[in-house]
């Protein structure tokens, strides 16, 4: 399935596995996904910032984390952690709607074919299925 991610200041569409259905979840084919210009633009802008810009904007919080990591992990591992963070790909979205394709064994009040609204970061992502 296709899903939208943010990485290094850009929105990218990636092919990823369809979400797995468990006993307490519902699989939905997304018809509409709500994009929040404020939240998602801020996240997009943050993923495009250099480490220097991030430290300048969030100051002491980042400096403390870096110093703690240097003490615990050493220089090489800290540099690796920072590089991974800067190259991180973030799934986005937290509000969508669509049609139920399948329900888990413990779901009682929702059935296949129902139209539903979905919410929650990490669940209602900008993708074909949630």
């Amino acid at each position: 399935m296709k899903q939208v991610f943010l990485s290094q200041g850009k929105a990218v569409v990636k092919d990823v596995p369809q979400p797995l259905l468990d006993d307490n979840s519902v699989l939905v084919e997304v018809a509409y996904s709500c994009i929040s210009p404020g939240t998602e633009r801020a996240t997009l802008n943050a993923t495009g910032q250099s480490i220097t810009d991030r430290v300048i904007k969030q100051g002491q919080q980042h400096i403390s984390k870096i110093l703690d990591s240097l003490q615990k992990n050493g220089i090489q591992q800290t540099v690796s952690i920072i590089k991974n963070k800067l190259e991180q790909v973030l799934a986005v979205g937290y509000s969508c709607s669509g049609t139920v394709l399948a329900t888990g064994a413990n779901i009682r009040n929702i059935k296949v074919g129902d139209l539903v609204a979905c919410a929650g970061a990490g669940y209602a992502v900008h993708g074909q299925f949630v």
Side-chain angles (χ1 to χ4, degrees):
M1 74 162 210
K2 302 223 181 284
Q3 184 176 335
V4 178
F5 295 87
L6 300 182
S7 177
Q8 299 180 350
K10 296 179 184 172
V12 294
V13 177
K14 293 185 170 272
D15 284 310
V16 296
Q18 183 173 305
L20 297 174
L21 182 69
D22 66 30
D23 288 345
N24 298 307
S25 65
V26 175
L27 180 63
V28 175
E29 182 174 19
V30 175
Y32 300 96
S33 185
C34 181
I35 296 175
S36 166
T39 301
E40 286 162 336
R41 180 173 301 274
T43 305
L44 181 68
N45 290 340
T47 65
Q49 290 179 342
S50 69
I51 189 66
T52 307
D53 290 340
R54 289 183 193 190
V55 169
I56 289 169
K57 282 190 175 186
Q58 295 182 339
Q60 189 60 42
Q61 179 185 3
H62 279 303
I63 293 169
S64 295
K65 285 182 182 180
I66 292 169
L67 292 175
D68 287 346
S69 181
L70 284 168
Q71 276 186 324
K72 292 176 187 172
N73 305 313
I75 292 172
Q76 285 183 322
Q77 190 169 354
T78 299
V79 168
S80 178
I81 291 168
I82 291 169
K83 281 184 179 180
N84 286 339
K85 191 77 169 168
L86 289 172
E87 294 169 1
Q88 188 175 27
V89 177
L90 301 173
V92 289
Y94 54 84
S95 180
C96 64
S97 64
T99 305
V100 175
L101 296 179
T103 61
N106 296 331
I107 304 300
R108 300 287 176 241
N109 296 321
I110 300 172
K111 64 184 182 315
V112 172
D114 282 353
L115 300 176
V116 294
C118 309
Y123 297 100
V125 297
H126 300 311
Q128 290 178 291
F129 303 95
V130 298

